[in-house]
Amino acid sequence: MKRDSAHMSARRSAVAAAATDYRVALNQAMQSHQAGDLDTAERLYRDVLERRAGQPDAMHYLGVLCHQQGRSDEGVRLIEAALKITPKHPDAHNNLGNIHKECGRLRDAERSYRKALECGPQHYNAQNNLAVVLEAQERLEEAFEAYAKLLQQAPKFAQGYYLMGMFLRNHAQSREHVEQSVECFRTAYQLNPRNVRALESLGMSLYALHRLEEAAQVYRDWLAREPEHPVPRHMLAACGAAEAPSRAADDYVREVFDAFAESFDEQLLKNLNYRAPQVLAEALGGVLPGVVGALDILDAGCGTGLCAPWLRPYAKQLVGVDLSGGMVDKARARGGYDGLEVAELTAYLQAHPDTYDVVFSADTLVYFGELRDVLDASHAALRPGGWVAFTVEAAEGEDDSVVLSPSGRYQHTRGYVERVLASTGFSHISIRTDTLRKEGGQPVMGWVVLAQRTH
Ligand SMILES: C[S@@+](CC[C@H](N)C(=O)[O-])C[C@H]1O[C@@H](n2cnc3c(N)ncnc32)[C@H](O)[C@@H]1O
């Protein structure tokens, strides 16, 4: 009897020690995960699961981690398994929703966010995400209600005001909506002064309302606080209050697109009606009939990799280049490229003479005012017979000119594009107009351009 109770108590201590061990390992795993050391975190989560099969937190967070590493299907399986054990876990439903959303399965994402809200009605991240996926499905009234509910639930949540401001401006049906967006961006910035995107958006809304002097003042004040910040420097020039550079500075491009890449939600929103990759690829397809899997193609300014699926069928080698490391990371996770490089485009092209059959650039040369250098470098990077294909925003008028518009992007006249292409030695120049995306509810017209290096 005595021996039995000693045995039981030893067993109990061993069980207690194992339980403490797995909790310690789980904590360490979560710390490594938060610090971005994904390999260590994965090893520790798996260690926990070996000691304690089916431990739901370890499965849930390992699922999130798998998705971050591009193994989204495994991530979904793990979180679903965790939810079988703890079905009322709002964070797990929310994270499952995030994976679906980022994989483009908006209906599944919506279902997960609704479940998260059933389990935790005050879960404002889930409410925020629900609004985002409703907007992405163009269910605008429901999305508006969801954003309004979010602001009611979380009146100090800066990001909520920012997203509501974006919603109001992107889907504005009247001037009043744009005016309301101004208030939302001001509040978002007051609540979180580190949210410089709110300031940038504030300037854009003021511009949309033709209150250009007020927009310039926002950037002047910002520059006075942060004299080295590339965004107000660029945007002040875009408002006409400083001299425009010949192309957007490298630090401006990095700042804007690294931030953009971080925020997949907004990316999803902004991609609504974004057609440049498709329109440009279809135009290119018209001059490359029957060429399947045979070409060396550069996706010049590849961003998050949206062009890859359109280019892949033609490519033997598909290489993406972009200045923003954040965008390149997203492109890598999306897949489809044989190589990806973080580099400035003109310099990259100059370093690769006679290398490509196609230089393809969707919505990137809008960050270049003067096109001469980049087109010279494209010509040299192409093999004889190769094609450059790009889109730029259309400036009105018959003259030969470039403007940096208050949106921060350059606009080129057709005459300008034609002259520079011809003077760079390209032939078979084709320039046609198309809608590239919508901004503030209005179509943005662009030039869809093809030209060939013949010798
Ligand atoms: C609007 S995104 C378009 C991305 C992609 N082509 C697409 O259609 O989804 C513009 C991209 O151009 C890149 N970019 C702008 N200026 C650049 C430069 N000088 N060199 C390399 N990349 C540049 C930005 O980092 C950004 O990823």
Side-chain angles (χ1 to χ4, degrees), residues 251-267:
D251 55 356
Y252 168 79
V253 171
R254 269 191 222 101
E255 177 78 31
V256 167
F257 285 98
D258 283 351
F260 184 60
E262 259 173 43
S263 154
F264 210 87
D265 293 351
E266 286 163 48
Q267 191 181 321

Side-chain angles (χ1 to χ4, degrees), residues 35-104:
D37 181 357
L38 300 188
D39 291 339
T40 306
E42 173 157 10
R43 186 174 45 72
L44 289 167
Y45 286 134
R46 294 201 186 278
D47 189 30
V48 171
L49 289 170
E50 256 177 40
R51 290 191 227 181
R52 236 180 144 86
Q55 206 291 325
D57 291 331
M59 284 201 290
H60 166 194
Y61 298 130
L62 181 58
V64 171
L65 184 147
C66 285
H67 168 65
Q68 286 171 311
Q69 292 193 317
R71 288 172 281 141
S72 303
D73 291 347
E74 190 180 351
V76 167
R77 275 196 302 277
L78 280 159
I79 302 184
E80 282 177 348
L83 281 166
K84 288 217 165 84
I85 301 165
T86 49
K88 292 200 179 308
H89 198 313
D91 283 343
H93 284 295
N94 184 51
N95 282 327
L96 181 59
N98 288 343
I99 301 183
H100 286 314
K101 179 180 64 181
E102 291 180 17
C103 293

Side-chain angles (χ1 to χ4, degrees), residues 225-247:
R225 286 190 303 274
E226 293 182 80
E228 300 303 322
H229 205 298
V231 172
R233 200 187 329 122
H234 182 84
M235 294 308 284
L236 204 53
C239 287
E243 200 182 331
S246 65
R247 72 170 170 82

Side-chain angles (χ1 to χ4, degrees), residues 270-414:
K270 288 191 179 171
N271 284 340
L272 273 186
N273 305 114
Y274 174 55
R275 303 174 64 234
Q278 178 180 351
V279 164
L280 187 59
E282 284 169 358
L284 179 68
V287 295
L288 302 175
V291 181
V292 177
L295 302 178
D296 289 323
I297 301 183
L298 181 70
D299 186 356
C302 61
T304 58
L306 292 177
C307 298
W310 297 99
L311 296 174
R312 197 64 255 178
Y314 300 109
K316 171 160 59 87
Q317 273 276 110
L318 176 59
V319 175
V321 62
D322 201 287
L323 245 181
S324 156
M327 296 293 262
V328 168
D329 286 346
K330 288 283 178 192
R332 190 168 290 115
R334 193 190 289 272
Y337 292 91
D338 300 300
L340 280 162
E341 272 201 44
V342 178
E344 197 287 310
L345 181 55
T346 308
Y348 177 91
L349 288 163
Q350 286 165 344
H352 292 80
D354 294 307
T355 306
Y356 291 102
D357 302 301
V358 173
V359 172
F360 186 94
S361 190
D363 209 31
T364 294
L365 300 191
V366 294
Y367 294 96
F368 290 66
E370 181 53 64
L371 293 180
R372 174 81 208 207
D373 287 351
V374 70
L375 289 177
D376 251 344
S378 301
H379 190 272
L382 285 168
R383 297 183 182 122
W387 289 88
V388 67
F390 63 90
T391 61
V392 280
E393 280 184 23
E396 283 175 17
E398 299 301 311
D399 61 340
D400 170 341
S401 65
V402 187
V403 284
L404 174 57
S405 98
S407 68
R409 292 187 297 271
Y410 293 86
Q411 295 173 341
H412 302 81
T413 60
R414 181 191 191 106

